[in-house]
Coordinates of all heavy atoms in Angstrom, one line a residue:
M1 N 35.5 11.4 -7.0 CA 35.1 10.4 -7.9 C 33.7 9.9 -7.5 O 33.4 9.7 -6.3 CB 36.1 9.3 -7.8 CG 35.8 8.1 -8.7 SD 37.1 6.9 -8.7 CE 36.3 5.6 -9.5
A2 N 32.8 9.6 -8.4 CA 31.5 9.1 -8.2 C 31.4 7.6 -8.5 O 32.0 7.2 -9.5 CB 30.5 9.9 -9.0
S3 N 30.7 6.9 -7.7 CA 30.5 5.4 -8.0 C 29.1 5.2 -8.6 O 28.2 6.0 -8.4 CB 30.6 4.6 -6.7 OG 31.9 4.7 -6.1
T4 N 29.0 4.1 -9.3 CA 27.7 3.8 -9.9 C 27.1 2.6 -9.2 O 27.8 1.6 -8.9 CB 27.9 3.4 -11.4 OG1 28.4 4.5 -12.0 CG2 26.6 3.0 -12.0
I5 N 25.8 2.6 -8.9 CA 25.1 1.5 -8.3 C 24.1 1.1 -9.3 O 23.3 1.9 -9.8 CB 24.4 1.9 -7.0 CG1 25.4 2.3 -5.9 CG2 23.5 0.8 -6.5 CD1 24.8 2.8 -4.7
Q6 N 24.1 -0.2 -9.7 CA 23.1 -0.8 -10.6 C 22.1 -1.7 -9.8 O 22.6 -2.5 -9.0 CB 23.7 -1.5 -11.7 CG 24.5 -0.7 -12.7 CD 25.1 -1.5 -13.8 OE1 25.3 -2.7 -13.7 NE2 25.5 -0.8 -14.8
V7 N 20.9 -1.5 -10.0 CA 19.9 -2.2 -9.3 C 18.9 -2.8 -10.3 O 18.3 -2.0 -11.1 CB 19.1 -1.4 -8.2 CG1 18.1 -2.2 -7.5 CG2 20.1 -0.8 -7.3
R8 N 18.6 -4.0 -10.3 CA 17.6 -4.6 -11.2 C 16.3 -4.6 -10.5 O 16.2 -5.1 -9.4 CB 18.0 -6.0 -11.6 CG 19.2 -6.1 -12.5 CD 19.3 -7.5 -13.1 NE 20.5 -7.6 -13.8 CZ 20.7 -7.2 -15.1 NH1 19.7 -6.6 -15.7 NH2 21.8 -7.4 -15.7
V9 N 15.2 -4.1 -11.1 CA 13.9 -4.1 -10.6 C 12.9 -4.4 -11.7 O 13.2 -4.3 -12.9 CB 13.5 -2.7 -9.9 CG1 14.4 -2.4 -8.7 CG2 13.6 -1.6 -10.9
D10 N 11.8 -4.9 -11.3 CA 10.7 -5.2 -12.2 C 10.3 -4.0 -13.0 O 10.3 -2.9 -12.5 CB 9.5 -5.7 -11.4 CG 8.3 -6.1 -12.2 OD1 8.4 -7.2 -12.9 OD2 7.4 -5.4 -12.2
D11 N 10.0 -4.2 -14.3 CA 9.6 -3.0 -15.1 C 8.4 -2.2 -14.6 O 8.4 -1.0 -14.6 CB 9.3 -3.5 -16.5 CG 10.5 -4.0 -17.3 OD1 11.6 -3.6 -17.0 OD2 10.3 -4.7 -18.3
D12 N 7.5 -3.0 -14.0 CA 6.3 -2.3 -13.4 C 6.7 -1.4 -12.2 O 6.2 -0.3 -12.1 CB 5.2 -3.4 -13.1 CG 3.9 -2.7 -12.6 OD1 3.4 -1.9 -13.3 OD2 3.4 -3.2 -11.6
L13 N 7.5 -2.0 -11.4 CA 8.0 -1.2 -10.2 C 8.7 0.0 -10.6 O 8.5 1.1 -10.1 CB 8.9 -2.1 -9.3 CG 9.5 -1.4 -8.1 CD1 8.4 -0.8 -7.2 CD2 10.4 -2.3 -7.4
K14 N 9.6 -0.1 -11.6 CA 10.3 1.1 -12.1 C 9.4 2.1 -12.7 O 9.5 3.3 -12.4 CB 11.3 0.6 -13.2 CG 12.1 1.7 -14.0 CD 13.1 2.4 -13.1 CE 14.1 3.2 -13.9 NZ 13.6 4.5 -14.3
S15 N 8.4 1.7 -13.5 CA 7.5 2.7 -14.0 C 6.7 3.4 -13.0 O 6.5 4.6 -13.0 CB 6.6 1.9 -15.0 OG 5.6 2.7 -15.5
K16 N 6.2 2.6 -12.0 CA 5.4 3.2 -10.9 C 6.2 4.1 -10.0 O 5.8 5.2 -9.7 CB 4.8 2.1 -10.0 CG 3.6 1.4 -10.7 CD 3.1 0.3 -9.8 CE 2.0 -0.5 -10.5 NZ 1.5 -1.6 -9.7
S17 N 7.5 3.8 -9.8 CA 8.3 4.6 -8.9 C 8.7 5.9 -9.7 O 8.7 7.0 -9.1 CB 9.6 3.9 -8.4 OG 10.4 3.5 -9.5
D18 N 8.9 5.8 -11.0 CA 9.2 7.0 -11.8 C 8.1 8.0 -11.8 O 8.3 9.2 -11.6 CB 9.5 6.6 -13.3 CG 10.9 6.0 -13.5 OD1 11.7 6.1 -12.6 OD2 11.0 5.3 -14.6
R19 N 6.8 7.4 -11.9 CA 5.6 8.3 -11.8 C 5.5 8.9 -10.4 O 5.2 10.1 -10.3 CB 4.4 7.5 -12.2 CG 4.1 7.3 -13.6 CD 2.7 6.9 -14.0 NE 2.3 5.7 -13.3 CZ 2.6 4.4 -13.7 NH1 3.2 4.2 -14.8 NH2 2.2 3.4 -13.0
L20 N 5.7 8.1 -9.4 CA 5.6 8.6 -8.0 C 6.6 9.8 -7.8 O 6.2 10.8 -7.3 CB 5.8 7.5 -7.0 CG 6.0 7.9 -5.6 CD1 4.7 8.6 -5.1 CD2 6.4 6.8 -4.7
F21 N 7.8 9.5 -8.1 CA 8.8 10.5 -7.8 C 8.7 11.8 -8.7 O 8.9 12.9 -8.2 CB 10.2 9.9 -7.9 CG 10.5 8.9 -6.9 CD1 11.0 7.6 -7.2 CD2 10.2 9.1 -5.5 CE1 11.2 6.7 -6.3 CE2 10.5 8.1 -4.6 CZ 10.9 6.9 -4.9
K22 N 8.2 11.6 -9.9 CA 7.9 12.8 -10.7 C 6.8 13.6 -10.0 O 6.9 14.8 -10.0 CB 7.4 12.3 -12.1 CG 7.2 13.5 -13.0 CD 6.9 13.0 -14.4 CE 6.7 14.2 -15.4 NZ 6.4 13.8 -16.7
E23 N 5.7 13.0 -9.5 CA 4.7 13.7 -8.8 C 5.2 14.4 -7.6 O 4.7 15.4 -7.2 CB 3.6 12.7 -8.4 CG 2.7 12.2 -9.5 CD 1.7 11.2 -9.1 OE1 1.5 11.1 -7.9 OE2 1.2 10.5 -10.0
L24 N 6.3 13.8 -7.0 CA 6.9 14.4 -5.8 C 8.0 15.5 -6.1 O 8.6 16.0 -5.3 CB 7.5 13.3 -4.9 CG 6.5 12.4 -4.3 CD1 7.2 11.2 -3.6 CD2 5.6 13.1 -3.3
G25 N 8.1 15.7 -7.4 CA 9.1 16.7 -7.9 C 10.5 16.3 -8.0 O 11.4 17.2 -8.0
T26 N 10.8 15.0 -8.2 CA 12.1 14.6 -8.3 C 12.1 13.4 -9.3 O 11.2 13.1 -10.0 CB 12.7 14.2 -7.0 OG1 14.1 14.0 -7.1 CG2 12.1 13.0 -6.3
D27 N 13.3 12.7 -9.4 CA 13.3 11.5 -10.2 C 13.8 10.3 -9.4 O 14.2 10.5 -8.2 CB 14.2 11.7 -11.4 CG 15.6 12.1 -11.1 OD1 16.2 11.6 -10.0 OD2 16.2 13.0 -11.8
T28 N 13.8 9.1 -9.9 CA 14.1 7.9 -9.2 C 15.6 8.0 -8.7 O 15.9 7.6 -7.6 CB 13.8 6.7 -10.0 OG1 12.4 6.7 -10.3 CG2 14.1 5.4 -9.2
T29 N 16.5 8.4 -9.6 CA 17.9 8.4 -9.2 C 18.1 9.4 -8.0 O 18.8 9.0 -7.1 CB 18.7 8.9 -10.4 OG1 18.5 7.9 -11.5 CG2 20.2 9.0 -10.1
S30 N 17.5 10.5 -8.1 CA 17.7 11.5 -7.0 C 17.0 11.0 -5.7 O 17.5 11.1 -4.6 CB 17.0 12.8 -7.3 OG 17.7 13.4 -8.4
A31 N 15.9 10.3 -5.8 CA 15.2 9.7 -4.7 C 16.1 8.6 -4.0 O 16.2 8.6 -2.8 CB 13.9 9.1 -5.1
I32 N 16.8 7.8 -4.8 CA 17.7 6.8 -4.3 C 18.8 7.5 -3.6 O 19.3 7.1 -2.5 CB 18.1 5.8 -5.4 CG1 16.9 5.0 -5.8 CG2 19.3 5.0 -4.9 CD1 17.2 4.2 -7.1
R33 N 19.4 8.5 -4.2 CA 20.5 9.3 -3.6 C 20.0 9.9 -2.2 O 20.8 9.9 -1.2 CB 20.9 10.4 -4.5 CG 22.3 11.0 -4.1 CD 22.8 12.1 -5.1 NE 23.1 11.4 -6.4 CZ 22.4 11.7 -7.6 NH1 21.4 12.5 -7.6 NH2 22.7 11.1 -8.7
M34 N 18.8 10.4 -2.2 CA 18.2 11.0 -0.9 C 18.1 9.9 0.1 O 18.5 10.1 1.3 CB 16.9 11.6 -1.2 CG 16.9 12.9 -1.8 SD 15.2 13.6 -1.9 CE 14.9 13.5 -3.6
F35 N 17.6 8.7 -0.3 CA 17.5 7.6 0.6 C 18.9 7.3 1.3 O 19.0 7.1 2.5 CB 16.9 6.4 -0.1 CG 16.9 5.2 0.8 CD1 15.9 4.9 1.7 CD2 17.9 4.2 0.6 CE1 15.9 3.8 2.5 CE2 17.9 3.1 1.4 CZ 17.0 2.9 2.4
L36 N 19.9 7.1 0.4 CA 21.2 6.7 0.9 C 21.8 7.8 1.8 O 22.4 7.5 2.9 CB 22.1 6.5 -0.3 CG 21.8 5.3 -1.2 CD1 22.7 5.2 -2.4 CD2 21.8 4.0 -0.4
T37 N 21.6 9.1 1.5 CA 22.1 10.2 2.3 C 21.5 10.1 3.7 O 22.1 10.3 4.7 CB 21.9 11.5 1.6 OG1 22.5 11.5 0.3 CG2 22.4 12.7 2.4
Q38 N 20.1 10.0 3.7 CA 19.4 9.9 5.0 C 19.7 8.7 5.8 O 19.8 8.7 7.0 CB 17.9 10.1 4.7 CG 17.5 11.5 4.3 CD 17.8 12.5 5.3 OE1 17.5 12.3 6.5 NE2 18.5 13.6 4.9
A39 N 19.9 7.6 5.1 CA 20.3 6.3 5.8 C 21.6 6.5 6.6 O 21.7 6.1 7.7 CB 20.4 5.2 4.8
V40 N 22.6 7.1 5.9 CA 23.9 7.4 6.5 C 23.7 8.4 7.7 O 24.2 8.2 8.8 CB 24.9 7.9 5.5 CG1 26.2 8.3 6.2 CG2 25.2 6.7 4.5
A41 N 23.0 9.5 7.4 CA 22.8 10.5 8.5 C 22.0 10.0 9.7 O 22.3 10.4 10.8 CB 22.0 11.7 7.9
N42 N 21.1 9.0 9.5 CA 20.3 8.4 10.6 C 20.9 7.1 11.1 O 20.3 6.5 12.0 CB 18.9 8.2 10.1 CG 18.1 9.4 9.9 OD1 17.7 10.1 10.9 ND2 17.9 9.9 8.7
N43 N 22.0 6.7 10.5 CA 22.6 5.4 10.9 C 21.6 4.3 10.9 O 21.6 3.4 11.8 CB 23.3 5.6 12.3 CG 24.3 4.5 12.6 OD1 24.9 4.0 11.6 ND2 24.5 4.1 13.8
G44 N 20.8 4.2 9.9 CA 19.8 3.2 9.7 C 18.8 3.6 8.7 O 19.0 4.6 8.0
F45 N 17.7 2.8 8.6 CA 16.7 3.2 7.6 C 16.2 4.6 8.0 O 15.9 4.8 9.1 CB 15.6 2.2 7.6 CG 15.9 0.9 6.8 CD1 16.3 -0.2 7.5 CD2 15.9 0.9 5.5 CE1 16.6 -1.4 6.8 CE2 16.3 -0.2 4.8 CZ 16.6 -1.4 5.5
P46 N 16.0 5.4 6.9 CA 15.5 6.8 7.2 C 14.0 6.9 7.3 O 13.3 5.9 7.4 CB 16.0 7.6 6.0 CG 16.1 6.6 4.9 CD 16.4 5.3 5.6
F47 N 13.5 8.0 7.1 CA 12.0 8.4 7.1 C 11.3 7.9 5.9 O 11.9 7.6 4.9 CB 11.9 9.9 7.3 CG 12.7 10.6 6.2 CD1 12.1 10.9 5.0 CD2 13.9 11.0 6.5 CE1 12.8 11.5 4.0 CE2 14.7 11.7 5.5 CZ 14.1 12.0 4.3
E48 N 10.0 8.0 5.9 CA 9.2 7.7 4.8 C 8.9 9.0 4.0 O 8.6 10.0 4.7 CB 7.8 7.1 5.1 CG 7.9 5.6 5.5 CD 6.5 5.0 5.7 OE1 5.5 5.8 5.7 OE2 6.4 3.8 5.9
I49 N 8.9 9.0 2.7 CA 8.4 10.1 1.9 C 7.3 9.5 1.0 O 7.6 8.6 0.3 CB 9.5 10.6 1.0 CG1 10.7 11.1 1.8 CG2 9.0 11.8 0.1 CD1 11.8 11.6 1.0
K50 N 6.1 10.0 1.2 CA 5.0 9.4 0.4 C 3.9 10.5 0.2 O 3.9 11.5 0.9 CB 4.4 8.2 1.1 CG 3.8 8.5 2.5 CD 3.3 7.2 3.1 CE 2.6 7.5 4.4 NZ 2.0 6.3 5.0
R51 N 3.1 10.1 -0.8 CA 1.9 11.0 -1.1 C 1.0 10.8 0.1 O 0.8 9.8 0.6 CB 1.2 10.6 -2.4 CG 2.1 10.8 -3.6 CD 1.3 10.4 -4.8 NE 1.1 8.9 -4.7 CZ 1.0 8.1 -5.8 NH1 1.0 8.6 -6.9 NH2 0.8 6.8 -5.6
V52 N 0.2 11.9 0.4 CA -0.8 11.8 1.4 C -2.1 11.2 0.7 O -2.6 11.8 -0.3 CB -1.1 13.2 2.0 CG1 -2.3 13.1 3.0 CG2 0.1 13.7 2.6
E53 N -2.5 10.1 1.2 CA -3.7 9.4 0.6 C -4.5 8.9 1.8 O -4.1 8.9 2.9 CB -3.3 8.3 -0.2 CG -2.6 8.7 -1.5 CD -2.3 7.5 -2.4 OE1 -2.9 6.4 -2.2 OE2 -1.5 7.6 -3.3
H54 N -5.7 8.5 1.5 CA -6.6 7.9 2.5 C -5.9 6.7 3.1 O -5.4 5.8 2.4 CB -7.9 7.5 1.9 CG -8.8 6.8 2.8 ND1 -9.4 7.4 4.0 CD2 -9.1 5.5 2.9 CE1 -10.0 6.4 4.6 NE2 -9.9 5.3 4.0
N55 N -5.8 6.6 4.4 CA -5.2 5.5 5.1 C -6.4 4.6 5.5 O -7.2 4.9 6.4 CB -4.5 6.0 6.3 CG -3.9 4.8 7.1 OD1 -4.1 3.7 6.8 ND2 -3.1 5.2 8.2
P56 N -6.5 3.4 4.9 CA -7.6 2.5 5.2 C -7.5 1.9 6.7 O -8.5 1.4 7.2 CB -7.4 1.3 4.2 CG -6.0 1.4 3.8 CD -5.6 2.8 3.9
Y57 N -6.4 2.1 7.4 CA -6.2 1.7 8.7 C -6.4 2.8 9.8 O -6.3 2.5 10.9 CB -4.8 1.0 8.9 CG -4.7 -0.1 7.9 CD1 -3.8 0.0 6.8 CD2 -5.4 -1.3 8.0 CE1 -3.7 -1.0 5.9 CE2 -5.2 -2.3 7.1 CZ -4.4 -2.2 6.0 OH -4.2 -3.2 5.1
A58 N -6.7 4.0 9.3 CA -6.9 5.1 10.2 C -8.2 4.8 11.0 O -9.2 4.2 10.5 CB -7.0 6.4 9.5
A59 N -8.3 5.3 12.2 CA -9.5 5.1 13.1 C -10.7 5.8 12.4 O -10.6 6.9 11.8 CB -9.2 5.8 14.5
M60 N -11.8 5.1 12.6 CA -13.1 5.7 12.0 C -13.8 6.4 13.2 O -13.7 6.0 14.3 CB -14.0 4.5 11.6 CG -13.7 4.1 10.2 SD -15.1 2.9 9.7 CE -14.2 1.4 9.7
S61 N -14.5 7.4 12.8 CA -15.4 8.1 13.8 C -16.5 7.1 14.1 O -16.9 6.2 13.3 CB -15.9 9.4 13.2 OG -16.8 9.1 12.2
E62 N -17.2 7.4 15.2 CA -18.3 6.5 15.6 C -19.4 6.6 14.6 O -20.0 5.6 14.2 CB -18.9 7.0 17.0 CG -20.0 6.1 17.4 CD -20.6 6.5 18.8 OE1 -20.0 7.4 19.4 OE2 -21.5 5.9 19.2
K63 N -19.7 7.8 14.1 CA -20.7 8.0 13.0 C -20.4 7.2 11.8 O -21.3 6.5 11.2 CB -20.8 9.5 12.7 CG -21.8 9.8 11.6 CD -21.8 11.3 11.3 CE -22.8 11.5 10.1 NZ -22.8 12.9 9.7
M64 N -19.1 7.2 11.3 CA -18.7 6.5 10.1 C -18.9 5.0 10.4 O -19.4 4.3 9.5 CB -17.3 6.8 9.7 CG -16.9 6.2 8.4 SD -15.2 6.5 8.0 CE -15.3 8.2 7.6
M65 N -18.5 4.5 11.6 CA -18.7 3.1 11.9 C -20.1 2.7 11.9 O -20.5 1.6 11.3 CB -18.1 2.8 13.3 CG -18.2 1.4 13.7 SD -17.3 0.2 12.8 CE -15.7 0.4 13.4
L66 N -21.0 3.5 12.5 CA -22.4 3.1 12.5 C -23.0 3.2 11.1 O -23.9 2.3 10.7 CB -23.2 4.1 13.4 CG -22.9 4.0 14.9 CD1 -23.5 5.1 15.7 CD2 -23.2 2.6 15.4
E67 N -22.6 4.1 10.2 CA -23.1 4.1 8.8 C -22.6 2.9 8.1 O -23.4 2.3 7.3 CB -22.5 5.4 8.1 CG -23.2 6.7 8.6 CD -22.5 7.9 8.0 OE1 -21.4 7.8 7.3 OE2 -23.0 9.0 8.3
K68 N -21.4 2.4 8.3 CA -20.9 1.2 7.6 C -21.6 0.0 8.1 O -22.0 -0.9 7.3 CB -19.4 1.1 7.8 CG -18.6 2.1 6.9 CD -17.1 1.8 7.1 CE -16.3 2.8 6.2 NZ -16.3 2.5 4.8
L69 N -21.9 -0.1 9.4 CA -22.6 -1.2 10.0 C -24.0 -1.3 9.4 O -24.5 -2.3 9.1 CB -22.7 -1.1 11.5 CG -21.4 -1.5 12.2 CD1 -21.5 -1.1 13.7 CD2 -21.1 -3.0 12.1
E70 N -24.7 -0.1 9.3 CA -26.1 -0.1 8.7 C -26.0 -0.5 7.3 O -26.9 -1.3 6.8 CB -26.7 1.3 8.9 CG -28.1 1.4 8.4 CD -29.1 0.4 9.0 OE1 -28.8 0.0 10.2 OE2 -30.0 0.0 8.4
K71 N -25.1 -0.1 6.5 CA -25.0 -0.5 5.1 C -24.8 -2.0 5.0 O -25.3 -2.7 4.2 CB -23.8 0.3 4.5 CG -23.6 0.0 3.0 CD -22.5 0.9 2.4 CE -22.3 0.6 1.0 NZ -21.2 1.3 0.4
S72 N -23.9 -2.6 5.9 CA -23.7 -4.0 6.0 C -25.0 -4.8 6.3 O -25.3 -5.8 5.7 CB -22.6 -4.4 7.0 OG -21.4 -3.8 6.6
R73 N -25.8 -4.2 7.3 CA -27.0 -4.9 7.6 C -28.0 -4.9 6.5 O -28.6 -6.0 6.2 CB -27.6 -4.2 8.8 CG -27.0 -4.4 10.1 CD -27.8 -3.8 11.3 NE -27.0 -3.9 12.5 CZ -26.4 -2.8 13.1 NH1 -26.6 -1.6 12.6 NH2 -25.7 -3.0 14.2
V74 N -28.1 -3.8 5.8 CA -29.0 -3.7 4.6 C -28.6 -4.7 3.5 O -29.4 -5.5 3.0 CB -29.1 -2.3 4.1 CG1 -29.8 -2.3 2.7 CG2 -29.7 -1.4 5.0
S75 N -27.3 -4.8 3.3 CA -26.7 -5.7 2.2 C -27.0 -7.1 2.6 O -27.4 -7.9 1.8 CB -25.2 -5.4 2.1 OG -24.7 -6.2 1.1
A76 N -26.7 -7.5 3.9 CA -26.9 -8.8 4.4 C -28.4 -9.2 4.3 O -28.7 -10.4 3.9 CB -26.4 -9.0 5.8
S77 N -29.3 -8.3 4.6 CA -30.7 -8.6 4.5 C -31.2 -8.8 3.1 O -32.2 -9.5 2.9 CB -31.6 -7.4 5.1 OG -31.6 -6.3 4.3
Q78 N -30.4 -8.4 2.1 CA -30.7 -8.6 0.7 C -30.0 -9.9 0.2 O -30.0 -10.2 -1.0 CB -30.3 -7.4 -0.1 CG -31.0 -6.2 0.2 CD -30.5 -4.9 -0.5 OE1 -29.3 -4.9 -1.0 NE2 -31.2 -3.9 -0.5
G79 N -29.4 -10.7 1.1 CA -28.8 -11.9 0.8 C -27.4 -11.8 0.3 O -26.8 -12.8 -0.2
N80 N -26.7 -10.7 0.5 CA -25.4 -10.5 0.1 C -24.4 -10.8 1.2 O -23.8 -10.0 1.9 CB -25.1 -9.0 -0.4 CG -26.0 -8.6 -1.5 OD1 -26.1 -9.4 -2.5 ND2 -26.5 -7.5 -1.5
Y81 N -24.2 -12.1 1.4 CA -23.2 -12.6 2.4 C -22.9 -14.0 2.0 O -23.5 -14.7 1.2 CB -23.8 -12.6 3.8 CG -25.0 -13.4 4.0 CD1 -24.9 -14.8 4.4 CD2 -26.3 -13.0 3.8 CE1 -26.0 -15.6 4.5 CE2 -27.4 -13.8 3.9 CZ -27.3 -15.1 4.3 OH -28.4 -15.9 4.5
R82 N -21.8 -14.5 2.7 CA -21.3 -15.9 2.5 C -21.1 -16.5 3.8 O -20.6 -15.8 4.7 CB -20.0 -15.9 1.6 CG -20.3 -15.4 0.2 CD -19.0 -15.4 -0.6 NE -18.6 -16.7 -0.8 CZ -17.3 -17.1 -0.9 NH1 -16.3 -16.2 -0.8 NH2 -17.0 -18.3 -1.1
S83 N -21.3 -17.8 3.9 CA -21.0 -18.4 5.2 C -19.5 -18.5 5.4 O -18.7 -18.5 4.5 CB -21.6 -19.9 5.2 OG -20.8 -20.7 4.4
S84 N -19.1 -18.6 6.7 CA -17.7 -18.7 7.0 C -17.1 -20.0 6.4 O -15.9 -20.0 6.0 CB -17.4 -18.6 8.5 OG -18.1 -19.7 9.2
N85 N -17.9 -21.0 6.4 CA -17.4 -22.3 5.8 C -17.0 -22.1 4.4 O -16.1 -22.7 3.9 CB -18.4 -23.4 6.0 CG -18.5 -23.9 7.4 OD1 -17.6 -23.7 8.2 ND2 -19.6 -24.5 7.8
A86 N -17.9 -21.4 3.6 CA -17.6 -21.2 2.2 C -16.3 -20.3 2.0 O -15.5 -20.6 1.1 CB -18.8 -20.5 1.5
V87 N -16.1 -19.3 2.8 CA -14.9 -18.5 2.7 C -13.7 -19.3 3.0 O -12.7 -19.3 2.3 CB -15.0 -17.3 3.7 CG1 -13.7 -16.5 3.7 CG2 -16.2 -16.4 3.3
V88 N -13.7 -20.1 4.1 CA -12.6 -20.9 4.5 C -12.3 -22.0 3.4 O -11.1 -22.2 3.0 CB -12.8 -21.6 5.9 CG1 -11.8 -22.7 6.1 CG2 -12.9 -20.6 7.0
S89 N -13.3 -22.6 2.9 CA -13.2 -23.5 1.8 C -12.5 -22.9 0.6 O -11.5 -23.5 0.0 CB -14.5 -24.1 1.4 OG -14.4 -25.0 0.3
D90 N -12.9 -21.7 0.2 CA -12.3 -21.0 -0.9 C -10.8 -20.7 -0.6 O -9.9 -20.8 -1.5 CB -13.0 -19.7 -1.2 CG -14.3 -19.9 -1.9 OD1 -14.6 -21.1 -2.3 OD2 -15.1 -18.9 -2.1
L91 N -10.5 -20.3 0.6 CA -9.1 -20.0 1.0 C -8.2 -21.2 0.9 O -7.1 -21.2 0.4 CB -9.0 -19.3 2.4 CG -9.6 -17.9 2.5 CD1 -9.6 -17.5 4.0 CD2 -8.7 -16.9 1.7
R92 N -8.8 -22.3 1.4 CA -8.0 -23.6 1.4 C -7.7 -24.0 0.0 O -6.7 -24.4 -0.4 CB -8.8 -24.7 2.1 CG -8.8 -24.5 3.6 CD -9.4 -25.6 4.3 NE -9.2 -25.5 5.8 CZ -10.1 -25.8 6.7 NH1 -11.2 -26.3 6.3 NH2 -9.8 -25.6 7.9
E93 N -8.7 -23.9 -0.9 CA -8.6 -24.2 -2.3 C -7.6 -23.3 -3.0 O -6.7 -23.8 -3.7 CB -9.9 -24.2 -3.0 CG -9.8 -24.6 -4.5 CD -11.2 -24.6 -5.2 OE1 -12.2 -24.9 -4.5 OE2 -11.2 -24.2 -6.4
K94 N -7.7 -22.0 -2.8 CA -6.8 -21.1 -3.4 C -5.4 -21.2 -3.0 O -4.5 -21.1 -3.8 CB -7.3 -19.6 -3.1 CG -6.5 -18.6 -3.8 CD -7.1 -17.2 -3.7 CE -6.3 -16.1 -4.4 NZ -6.9 -14.8 -4.3
Y95 N -5.1 -21.4 -1.7 CA -3.8 -21.4 -1.1 C -3.3 -22.8 -0.8 O -2.2 -23.0 -0.2 CB -3.7 -20.5 0.1 CG -4.0 -19.1 -0.3 CD1 -5.2 -18.5 0.1 CD2 -3.0 -18.3 -1.0 CE1 -5.4 -17.2 -0.3 CE2 -3.3 -17.0 -1.4 CZ -4.5 -16.4 -1.0 OH -4.7 -15.1 -1.4
G96 N -4.0 -23.9 -1.2 CA -3.6 -25.2 -0.9 C -3.4 -25.6 0.5 O -2.5 -26.3 0.9
L97 N -4.3 -25.1 1.3 CA -4.2 -25.4 2.8 C -5.0 -26.6 3.2 O -5.9 -27.0 2.6 CB -4.8 -24.2 3.6 CG -4.1 -22.8 3.3 CD1 -4.9 -21.7 4.0 CD2 -2.7 -22.9 3.8

């Protein structure tokens, strides 16, 4: 006998997950079934399955870091910067701090 699980999710999340799992060669129902199977097999949360994309938190090479610093210096010399007080003020206003 098979049981049914019903989960309410935001329409946008459902749409995005459907697209993601289609790109990965499956569907959302099968992905949920895989998750549950692996959770039981691992006796806890299982592994991540995701598309390989650029990781913004990956370490930068020294060359890349120096290029970004130079780009920042050029931008700042052209007046493209804000004071820390202005940034903090905007954050306080936006988040009611």
Side-chain angles (χ1 to χ4, degrees):
M1 181 174 166
S3 295
T4 300
I5 298 176
Q6 292 182 340
V7 180
R8 290 192 187 279
V9 296
D10 180 73
D11 290 339
D12 187 48
L13 175 61
K14 173 71 166 78
S15 178
K16 287 177 180 177
S17 66
D18 286 344
R19 280 194 305 274
L20 169 65
F21 295 129
K22 184 176 182 180
E23 289 175 15
L24 294 172
T26 190
D27 57 37
T28 302
T29 300
S30 296
I32 293 169
R33 193 176 296 114
M34 285 185 249
F35 172 82
L36 295 174
T37 300
Q38 288 300 310
V40 171
N42 288 286
N43 198 28
F45 284 101
F47 52 86
E48 283 187 354
I49 301 176
K50 62 181 182 176
R51 294 180 293 210
V52 177
E53 292 184 14
H54 172 70
N55 179 355
Y57 303 106
M60 277 189 251
S61 68
E62 182 179 0
K63 179 182 176 185
M64 184 182 291
M65 176 67 79
L66 293 173
E67 288 171 355
K68 287 183 178 284
L69 284 170
E70 182 57 28
K71 184 176 178 183
S72 295
R73 285 187 190 108
V74 169
S75 182
S77 71
Q78 295 171 345
N80 297 319
Y81 62 88
R82 296 180 65 214
S83 72
S84 60
N85 288 339
V87 173
V88 169
S89 178
D90 286 351
L91 290 171
R92 285 185 173 145
E93 183 178 323
K94 182 174 182 177
Y95 296 106
L97 302 173

